[in-house]
């Protein structure tokens, strides 16, 4: 009588199973849209404390200049980074191409809590002009939103790498 039910359930399990296994959430540093650097979710609290202090000070000073500064991504779990990396391989067609845009889980500065992606574009501009006062530097030439604590406050930023695949 309910013979139709078994194939239906199998189809549902097949559709949902991999999604469940892949699902990343707030505990992995997932950010829906964007997040304030003053938020207390894992994406923010798992950042390196010195980086977080610098970003928060920059955000306060940007706000005083009339520029809202938020983060589109900050700390990410290895699992989350693996998912992004796998998606990039699919999108760009090879690991070699993917690595120009997304680091491997073992190399990502986001996984170690040493990088933030800043938005919106006005805030990227602001931070590119003022970031080194806080030690914050854009480190990849092709990612104007990606900042790391890469110098001492007021120091010079190191030369940018071309992209995430270019090692120091
Ligand atoms: Zn980044």
């Amino acid at each position: 009588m309910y013979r139709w039910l078994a194939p239906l359930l199998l189809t549902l399990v097949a559709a949902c199973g991999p999604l469940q296994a892949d699902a990343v959430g707030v505990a992995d540093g997932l950010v829906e849209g964007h997040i304030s650097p003053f938020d207390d979710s894992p994406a923010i609290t798992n950042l390196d404390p010195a980086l977080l202090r610098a970003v928060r000070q920059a955000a306060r000073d940007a706000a005083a200049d009339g520029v809202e500064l938020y983060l589109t991504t900050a700390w990410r779990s290895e699992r989350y980074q693996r998912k992004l990396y796998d998606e990039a391989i699919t999108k760009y067609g090879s690991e070699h191409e993917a690595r120009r845009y997304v680091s491997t889980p073992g190399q990502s500065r986001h996984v170690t809590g040493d990088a933030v992606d800043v938005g919106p574009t006005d805030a990227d501009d602001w931070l590119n002009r003022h970031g080194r006062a806080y030690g914050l530097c854009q480190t990849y030439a092709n990612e104007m939103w990606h900042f790391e604590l890469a110098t001492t406050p007021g120091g010079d930023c190191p030369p940018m790498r071309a992209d995430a695949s270019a090692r120091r």
Side-chain angles (χ1 to χ4, degrees):
M1 187 171 170
Y2 291 106
R3 270 189 307 165
W4 53 270
L5 197 58
L8 178 67
L9 283 174
L10 281 175
T11 306
L12 281 172
V13 167
C16 300
L19 283 176
Q20 285 300 325
D22 273 4
V24 297
V26 170
D28 294 294
L30 184 71
V31 171
E32 305 279 3
H34 55 79
I35 193 169
S36 160
F38 301 98
D39 197 279
D40 62 357
S41 66
I44 302 298
T45 57
N46 285 326
L47 286 172
D48 170 68
L51 171 64
L52 183 53
R53 271 196 302 277
V55 169
R56 284 179 168 171
Q57 191 56 53
R60 282 190 205 100
D61 294 347
D65 274 356
V67 175
E68 182 200 12
L69 186 158
Y70 56 63
L71 307 180
T72 55
T73 182
W75 170 83
R76 297 193 288 251
S77 71
E78 264 192 74
R79 210 164 75 92
Y80 185 9
Q81 188 69 27
R82 164 63 56 191
K83 182 173 187 286
L84 293 174
Y85 183 60
D86 288 346
E87 285 169 359
I89 293 170
T90 304
K91 179 173 176 184
Y92 297 107
S94 73
E95 288 200 42
H96 182 80
E97 267 306 289
R99 260 186 240 131
R100 297 182 58 209
Y101 306 97
V102 180
S103 296
T104 64
Q107 289 180 325
S108 172
R109 302 284 288 167
H110 287 283
V111 171
T112 56
D114 292 311
V116 290
D117 290 357
V118 172
T121 308
D122 281 354
D124 297 331
D125 282 342
W126 190 93
L127 208 51
N128 271 305
R129 281 182 282 123
H130 303 288
R132 69 187 193 91
Y134 313 90
L136 295 169
C137 302
Q138 179 188 342
T139 52
Y140 302 131
N142 71 334
E143 297 185 19
M144 71 174 293
W145 52 84
H146 177 103
F147 289 86
E148 300 179 18
L149 199 58
T151 188
T152 50
D156 289 325
C157 286
M160 287 180 211
R161 282 160 284 163
D163 58 51
S165 69
R167 307 318 308 168
R168 272 186 231 270

